[in-house]
Amino acid sequence: MPPAHATPSSDDSQLRRLGYEPKLNRRMGEFGNFAISFSVISILSGCMTLFGFGLNTGGPAVMLWGWVGVGLMVVLVGMALAEVTSAYPTSGALYFMAHRLGGPRWGWATGWLNLLGLVGGIAGIDYGAASFVGALANLQWGFEPTPGKLFLIFMVILVVHAGLNLRGVRLVSVLNSISVWWHLGGVVVIVGALMIVPSQHQDTTWVFTHFVNNTGWTNPIYVSCLGLLLAQYTFSGYDASAHMSEETTRASVSAARGIVRAIWVSWIAGFVLLAGMLFAIQDYAGTIDSATGVPPAQIFLDALGLNGAKALLAVVIVAQLFCGNAETAAASRMVFAFSRDGALPGSALWSRVSPRTGTPVAGVWLAVGAALVLALPALYSPVAYGAVTAINVLGMTPAYAIPIYLRLRRGKAFQAGPWSLGRWSRPIGVVAVCWVAVVTVLFCLPQAYPVTSDTFNYAPVALLVALLGAGLWWLKAGRSYNPPVQQSAELTELTGSVI
């Protein structure tokens, strides 16, 4: 257990040793910190919004076994990242860790990757929520979910999330705490209803072995690898715990635990959710081609009838809104921290904090505005949503690996915080970095064949544009990037137990 004297005062002292003067309100406890990462992972968002993608790209076999395998790898990545987070609990999180362990260029590149991933996360989560709102409206009023109409709903959701975040971190923390129980209760309700009400279910062999390929590609291994996007996209955003460090008490322990707990709880609950959904499929082709535009809605409709489907869709939509709100909080703190260190154009504006709420107001609006721009291709491309989710993975996942790699490179010179992996640090870190390398390549690949302007995966283009822009901005304004460079003292009074 961490020492009893790890109070907000000692948290602020630790932050000052890392070179920053506390500006944000430290009102989030350990459960709240776990809750924000759990809410951002959001199995009722990621699993549901990419459920149709999974049905086409490998089908049930890849969806379930991919979830098991990817989840295991992500647990290892999360543990390795948690160890570094414990040593450097700041709002900048990943880029600050990379800066301290590798120097300014590493920090700069990591920061831009992290920012791209966070913005992609907001876009993917909130556009997915808009799709489910459209599906509910279709069942209720016969609403036609066209791309233009869905984009308008998406814009409304972005504004709602900005407004909630502008109210302050205490409201964000309360909503995230509610979100945990909503997600867990939602899984129980959804799976319970799908297991009890329908008179017919798929058999176990079908659920665990049935392979489907509607991608146009002929190689089943390639298709199976593409199908891992469902799980890998869902298992992203757990760095939110690190980004909220400066607003969390006992941050060097709470943020590390928040990361790991959010992953393994989501891993278990997500498997139950996916299995329950797959067992309940009544008509596979009809589910994929649902008039609602959302395959899970068709599963609910076929299994439970109209009223049951609408009730479960409402459960999912609320969970997705919780998720988007949490992601907006994490992204805005990244904007604040990166601007505080002079990395963004207009940093003086984006780093301003409201004296009343302790919230980076301009940073909130920049985060949702950038997400709006990133999702614009959804207006004309039928596969744009898959690309947006891939952008989230391509930004976030390498940004997780860079601090882990640099920590490995430091070896024994790395000064661990109170949450440490000890002798397991190196083997877990090596596996984590290798996994991220594989995933980064996978989600740059074309997701459908033939490759046309409509099916093109523009995620790697967005990644290259972001890196090119970051490189050019470094040449022009890199001197303004100024995270604290002094070495922190050993946190002797904060050392404690491991996991």
Side-chain angles (χ1 to χ4, degrees), residues 119 122 158 363-374:
V119 170
I122 297 175
L158 287 176
V364 170
W365 287 114
L366 178 61
V368 298
L372 177 69
V373 172
L374 199 60

Side-chain angles (χ1 to χ4, degrees), residues 146-291:
T146 65
K149 292 176 181 177
L150 291 181
F151 205 84
L152 287 175
I153 298 172
F154 167 64
M155 293 172 64
V156 171
I157 293 173
L158 287 176
V159 172
V160 169
H161 284 153
L164 290 172
N165 272 272
L166 294 177
R167 297 294 299 274
V169 71
R170 184 176 293 277
L171 176 60
V172 171
S173 183
V174 169
L175 291 175
N176 288 333
S177 297
I178 296 171
S179 172
V180 172
W181 302 113
W182 186 274
H183 275 81
L184 295 176
V187 170
V188 171
V189 170
I190 291 170
V191 174
L194 293 178
M195 290 291 100
I196 295 171
V197 176
S199 58
Q200 180 179 345
H201 294 89
Q202 301 291 343
D203 62 61
T204 303
T205 300
W206 184 91
V207 169
F208 284 91
T209 64
H210 187 59
F211 180 84
V212 177
N213 176 16
N214 293 328
T215 66
W217 297 105
T218 58
N219 189 315
I221 297 177
Y222 181 82
V223 174
S224 297
C225 289
L226 291 178
L228 298 180
L229 176 61
L230 182 152
Q232 188 65 52
Y233 167 66
T234 305
F235 283 118
S236 63
Y238 44 86
D239 59 313
S241 288
H243 288 295
M244 302 304 290
S245 292
E246 293 181 34
E247 294 160 272
T248 301
T249 55
R250 302 192 307 172
S252 59
V253 173
S254 296
R257 287 178 173 169
I259 290 170
V260 178
R261 287 174 177 171
I263 295 170
W264 70 257
V265 173
S266 298
W267 189 21
I268 296 171
F271 181 84
V272 173
L273 175 65
L274 285 174
M277 296 285 291
L278 291 169
F279 272 111
I281 292 177
Q282 307 295 307
D283 177 4
Y284 201 94
T287 298
I288 292 175
D289 297 326
S290 174

Side-chain angles (χ1 to χ4, degrees), residues 62-108:
V62 174
M63 293 169 76
L64 277 182
W65 292 115
W67 183 267
V68 173
V70 170
L72 175 60
M73 292 295 103
V74 174
V75 167
L76 299 180
V77 175
M79 291 173 70
L81 182 63
E83 181 179 53
V84 189
T85 298
S86 181
Y88 304 109
T90 69
S91 293
L94 308 180
Y95 87 84
F96 182 81
M97 303 172 199
H99 176 86
R100 274 298 176 87
L101 294 171
R105 285 181 173 81
W106 282 104
W108 181 275

Side-chain angles (χ1 to χ4, degrees), residues 283-345:
D283 177 4
Y284 201 94
T287 298
I288 292 175
D289 297 326
S290 174
T292 67
V294 175
Q298 194 64 45
I299 294 175
F300 298 156
L301 188 61
D302 293 344
L304 306 174
L306 182 60
N307 290 332
K310 290 190 289 188
L312 293 192
L313 275 176
V315 171
V316 173
I317 289 168
V318 172
Q320 292 172 340
L321 295 177
F322 278 131
C323 174
N325 191 63
E327 180 77 348
T328 301
S332 64
R333 271 48 176 192
M334 172 61 194
V335 170
F336 158 76
F338 215 28
S339 299
R340 174 178 60 182
D341 289 333
L344 295 181

Side-chain angles (χ1 to χ4, degrees), residues 414-450:
F414 173 74
Q415 294 184 357
W419 198 102
S420 172
L421 295 172
R423 61 190 176 91
W424 291 102
S425 179
R426 177 161 292 277
I428 288 176
V430 169
V431 173
V433 171
C434 291
W435 171 250
V436 169
V438 171
V439 166
T440 302
V441 173
L442 283 181
F443 301 127
C444 286
L445 301 175
Q447 297 174 350
Y449 183 86

